[in-house]
Amino acid sequence: QAPRRAGLGRARSNLPARRPVVSWHMTGICAGRVVAITGAGRGLGRAHALAFAAAGAKVVVNDVGASLHGDGGDLSPAAEVVAEIVAQGGEAVVNGDDCSDWDGAGRLVAQAIEAFGGLDTLVCNAGIVRDRMLVNMSVDEWDAVMKVHLRGTFCPVRHAIDYWRGQHKAGTPRVARIVTTSSGAGLFGSVSQANYSAAKAGIATFTIVAAAELGRYGILANTIAPSARSRMTEEAFAEMMRAPTDGSFDRMDPANVSPLVVWLGSDACDITGRAFEIAGGELNVCDGWQHGIPIDKGDRYTPEELGAVVAELIGRAPAPAPVYGAG
């Protein structure tokens, strides 16, 4: 287990007393569970951390405090989330490790175990954007997005699996849950976001594979494709993400997504290997790639005959969902 880093212990709140904005139930759906959330200093991650704490969980709030594009570092956003949780009577600690770094991800898992005696749920939420049309995208912009999204999912999941498998073999299994964060861009594509779309598609497939491999240990894994206000979406879709000023339902409030994440991260969840789209109060399960109805010639095709065969196959298939921003 990693030693406690300076300044990363249990936070003491110095926030002024105020009326709670959420109801904190120590007997909630996640009562007693230990949850680690990456990228939890702002946006969706912050909303998830507050929602898990409100549901009774002990929360490790991970965030390096980088800019939207992955530069710099500032632990104060994560510390503010922890202080808010503590002020409401919950339990939380700050973790400032880079979840895309192998050793940093290990320290994140170790801190959950050290601070709260174990780990039950891992929520992989951290991400950055480097939006660019393909004709202008650099290899550095590609690699930076892949690192945070894909390595930043794999590394903490891999360390969590080691812990959970050890507990399972010792006869003290945890009711373990993994929740990853894909995107509509990953499921359907998004113009000027080839790197982000590819990374998010990779996360969705990674989660399906994790669910298939880890079920034997009682570990369930699901992914979400949320549509909500964040630093990423406010920059790319400013008008769509703007909060209403007339008192109507704020469809893009990130807190709308968190109840699903809390349920998926609870021991009440009995679903694995699925992708859920959620926007405001609208929820659906995505089908993903499916095998189409085949045409089997029973022999090798010639290039000349394939045009007619493909046309028939396309005619049988449903139209694909449009790429965001296309046309």
Side-chain angles (χ1 to χ4, degrees), residues 15-319:
L15 298 178
R18 58 180 177 173
R19 184 177 179 181
V21 295
V22 290
S23 176
W24 303 88
H25 299 294
M26 295 303 103
T27 58
I29 194 171
C30 286
R33 291 180 68 79
V34 179
V35 180
I37 307 169
T38 67
R42 301 180 178 94
L44 280 165
R46 174 183 178 275
H48 299 342
L50 295 174
F52 270 108
K58 303 170 185 178
V59 186
V60 180
V61 179
N62 163 264
D63 206 298
V64 298
S67 73
L68 174 61
H69 303 289
D71 305 314
D74 178 8
L75 291 184
S76 58
E80 289 171 5
V81 175
V82 169
E84 187 167 350
I85 290 172
V86 172
Q88 304 285 3
E91 294 185 68
V93 294
V94 178
N95 176 275
D97 284 297
D98 179 355
C99 63
S100 68
D101 174 77
W102 176 253
D103 292 335
R107 288 191 294 270
L108 167 61
V109 171
Q111 187 177 352
I113 298 166
E114 178 187 357
F116 299 127
L119 177 65
D120 300 296
T121 297
L122 175 64
V123 179
C124 296
N125 169 78
I128 64 169
V129 291
R130 297 284 180 89
D131 292 353
R132 196 85 66 188
M133 298 295 280
L134 273 171
V135 295
N136 296 316
M137 187 175 294
S138 71
V139 69
D140 289 341
E141 289 167 334
W142 178 272
D143 287 346
V145 171
M146 292 296 160
K147 181 176 186 289
V148 174
H149 287 278
L150 285 175
R151 280 181 59 101
T153 296
F154 167 75
C155 290
V157 166
R158 180 65 173 76
H159 282 289
I161 291 169
D162 279 349
Y163 167 69
W164 288 328
R165 286 182 70 225
Q167 293 292 297
H168 189 272
K169 290 177 180 179
T172 55
R174 312 289 291 203
V175 184
R177 302 289 182 263
I178 298 167
V179 185
T180 66
T181 308
S182 183
S183 167
L187 301 178
F188 308 113
S190 179
V191 170
S192 81
Q193 291 188 309
N195 49 2
Y196 178 80
S197 298
K200 288 301 195 183
I203 288 171
T205 305
F206 169 87
T207 307
I208 294 169
V209 174
E213 292 184 356
L214 302 176
R216 72 187 71 179
Y217 305 109
I219 303 168
L220 306 188
N222 294 283
T223 195
I224 63 166
S227 183
R229 190 180 306 113
S230 70
R231 291 188 297 170
M232 294 183 202
T233 56
E234 282 182 311
E235 183 174 280
F237 309 103
E239 184 61 33
M240 182 190 303
M241 295 298 155
R242 186 169 291 115
T245 57
D246 59 359
S248 60
F249 175 54
D250 185 357
R251 182 176 169 82
M252 293 296 114
D253 185 342
N256 298 331
V257 176
S258 299
L260 171 63
V261 178
V262 170
W263 183 80
L264 290 172
S266 74
D267 59 8
C269 174
D270 56 358
I271 301 298
T272 195
R274 304 308 294 264
F276 295 85
E277 273 193 295
I278 182 166
E282 183 178 294
L283 176 65
N284 75 80
V285 180
C286 293
D287 287 337
W289 291 104
Q290 298 284 348
H291 296 291
I293 302 172
I295 296 174
D296 187 354
K297 178 183 176 182
D299 200 353
R300 182 183 303 159
Y301 288 106
T302 66
E304 291 78 12
E305 68 185 334
L306 277 170
V309 175
V310 169
E312 184 174 348
L313 290 171
I314 294 294
R316 295 179 181 183

